[in-house]
Amino acid sequence: TFTMMNAVYPHLKAAHAGTIVNVSSVAGKIGGGLLGTAAYASSKAGVNGLTKAVAKEGGKFGVRCNAVCPSLTLTDMTSILSDENSQRIINGIPLGRAAQASEPAQMVLFFASDLASFVPIFWCRFCWAACSTRYSPTCSKRSAVLRLA
């Protein structure tokens, strides 16, 4: 994530336009991964901090930076969870279900669109659409959508 953002941010800043959408995890907010690893949770917390920092710095240059932080999402990675662990996680999600893989993807599309041209910070630690940081009132027609893990 850092390497990719480091590569594209100067170009977006020079153009005074652009959008970066990172994909993180609710694990970065609550301090524990769905699979229980400290390395995963700390790496996602780093993505969240980087997203906030770039949003604050980039806003004055017309660059938006957001992050989507899914909770339990039905993917190959989460298919290894036992039914008991999956249900424990689902019990903590207000919607009472895991996300389909398309749902976080739709949030990425939303944050990359002009519909999210002025979305304030939003953290929802239990649902799949979790964090967004937006500090720029500019609306960009040229958006680079970056799905960064």
Side-chain angles (χ1 to χ4, degrees):
T1 301
F2 177 79
T3 302
M4 179 63 82
M5 287 180 66
N6 206 30
V8 301
Y9 179 73
H11 301 284
L12 299 177
K13 183 178 168 183
H16 287 274
T19 302
I20 298 170
V21 181
N22 291 321
V23 177
S24 182
S25 170
V26 72
K29 182 68 175 156
I30 64 173
L34 298 174
L35 304 177
T37 65
Y40 181 79
S42 61
S43 70
K44 296 307 181 179
V47 170
N48 297 344
L50 179 63
T51 298
K52 287 181 184 181
V54 170
K56 286 181 179 181
E57 180 184 317
K60 62 184 163 239
F61 301 105
V63 177
R64 295 185 290 136
C65 190
N66 301 282
V68 174
C69 305
S71 182
L72 181 62
T73 304
L74 301 175
T75 65
D76 289 343
M77 184 178 92
T78 60
S79 69
I80 65 170
L81 293 172
S82 69
D83 289 341
E84 180 182 321
N85 281 341
S86 292
Q87 192 56 53
R88 180 182 51 80
I89 296 166
I90 289 169
N91 289 343
I93 299 172
L95 294 175
R97 65 176 181 83
Q100 297 295 318
S102 63
E103 292 173 309
Q106 291 168 0
M107 290 301 299
V108 170
L109 290 173
F110 169 74
F111 287 127
S113 78
D114 287 341
L115 294 173
S117 65
F118 196 76
V119 176
I121 187 166
F122 174 69
W123 291 89
C124 177
R125 68 180 227 170
F126 296 112
C127 53
W128 54 266
C131 60
S132 168
T133 307
R134 172 74 166 98
Y135 289 95
S136 174
T138 28
C139 186
S140 168
K141 297 288 183 202
R142 295 181 294 175
S143 295
V145 179
L146 305 175
R147 186 183 190 287
L148 308 174

